[in-house]
Amino acid sequence: MTPFSDIPYIDFHTHRRTDQSGTICVVSMNGVPDRQADYFTSGYHPWWLEDNLSVSQLAVLEDLYTHNKDCLGIGECGLDALRGLTLERQEENFIMQLEVASRCGAPVIIHCVRAFDRLLRLARTHRKTPWVVHGFVRNKMLARQVLDQGIHLSVAPAIKMTPVFAEMLAFIPLQNVFLETDSEHSLSIDRRYAIFADLRGIGIDLLKDRMFDNFKSFFAAKWKYHDGWSEQSS
């Protein structure tokens, strides 16, 4: 068992690598990596697509996941009813990325805004690998529906939260949740851990242990190449 003092914080989904000691950051890249990251995921965000994905773009994802040990998963990709192509076109691009993930056995990190009906429908037919919806801010009822489809949730606790968001955070089973900063860096990941631990009435060390176990399980196919992280990073 890893000593509590050696258990890292996990920033499960971020767009900026931090040099904060004792932290693993999983940096989200759009297609080909364009910056330095120890661990990353790669996908095509629905905001930045102007057409259907090409064979070569999909090949980039497959090659990265298959041949780069630091590429832990596919994403973020998904659906956004407020921005980007029509939802029909977004769904086509999302499915193509899900098919890459299925062929490779890759976990998928999902962006979903006001399209959970489509996401839950797709989960019933296309979820062949672990999925997580990142940046989840909705209510407890929707969280339950997503969890019932076997999809995990990644959240960013904050100092000021709506009662609905706080209620949802208090509800999520610890084995199904991850913590992230995403693009909002006013609070570091350790502060978000502290807020979540206080909300759940548990100690930071126990929360770090649970989040690290979740992380290793979700990214198990690639994490085997990085086992011994605490010793390498000490």
Side-chain angles (χ1 to χ4, degrees):
M1 182 176 179
T2 305
F4 281 139
S5 60
D6 293 334
I7 296 173
Y9 288 98
I10 304 294
D11 192 344
F12 185 81
H13 178 87
T14 183
H15 294 273
R16 184 179 73 181
R17 179 180 178 270
T18 179
D19 292 324
Q20 182 177 336
S21 177
T23 300
I24 291 175
C25 296
V26 183
V27 180
S28 180
M29 306 283 191
N30 195 60
V32 178
D34 59 357
R35 72 210 95 139
Q36 180 63 39
D38 295 327
Y39 312 104
F40 68 94
T41 62
S42 178
Y44 295 102
H45 196 295
W47 289 1
W48 313 127
L49 288 173
E50 298 178 352
D51 204 344
N52 279 8
L53 288 164
S54 66
V55 171
S56 62
Q57 285 175 305
L58 294 167
V60 164
L61 296 188
E62 191 155 354
D63 183 70
L64 276 171
Y65 186 78
T66 302
H67 297 109
N68 190 322
K69 67 181 177 59
D70 300 325
C71 181
L72 303 184
I74 301 296
E76 63 186 288
C77 53
L79 306 165
D80 194 317
L82 301 182
R83 185 170 173 179
L85 297 168
T86 65
L87 279 174
E88 288 72 23
R89 294 283 295 283
Q90 289 186 32
E91 186 171 315
E92 291 172 5
N93 283 319
F94 185 35
I95 288 173
M96 284 190 277
Q97 293 178 83
L98 294 176
E99 290 172 344
V100 170
S102 295
R103 287 197 299 273
C104 299
V108 181
I109 294 81
I110 296 168
H111 171 100
C112 188
V113 175
R114 297 193 183 182
F116 280 94
D117 53 341
R118 288 175 180 264
L119 179 66
L120 294 174
R121 171 175 51 78
L122 289 171
R124 289 190 282 271
T125 55
H126 287 78
R127 192 181 71 81
K128 311 298 183 185
T129 64
W131 287 13
V132 61
V133 174
H134 98 88
F136 190 82
V137 295
R138 300 289 297 275
N139 59 51
K140 184 171 83 170
M141 182 180 299
L142 182 57
R144 179 73 274 166
Q145 292 177 310
V146 175
L147 293 168
D148 283 347
Q149 287 296 324
I151 305 170
H152 300 283
L153 300 173
S154 185
V155 298
I159 295 172
K160 294 183 179 180
M161 298 183 287
T162 66
V164 168
F165 185 45
E167 180 186 39
M168 185 271 296
L169 293 181
F171 158 76
I172 308 174
L174 288 179
Q175 68 267 25
N176 299 117
V177 68
F178 301 97
L179 302 182
E180 64 177 54
T181 59
D182 194 15
S183 298
E184 210 291 288
H185 301 291
S186 63
L187 284 181
S188 60
I189 194 63
D190 58 321
R191 286 288 295 121
R192 296 183 191 276
Y193 266 68
I195 293 167
F196 189 69
D198 183 62
L199 181 69
R200 298 299 292 254
I202 60 175
I204 288 288
D205 286 341
L206 290 176
L207 179 60
K208 288 173 69 178
D209 189 43
R210 178 72 264 180
M211 294 301 100
F212 194 29
D213 281 348
N214 290 356
F215 168 82
K216 290 184 290 184
S217 176
F218 190 81
F219 291 127
K222 285 300 185 75
W223 192 249
K224 62 187 178 183
Y225 299 113
H226 298 283
D227 195 21
W229 178 89
S230 60
E231 290 78 15
Q232 296 165 12
S233 304
S234 58

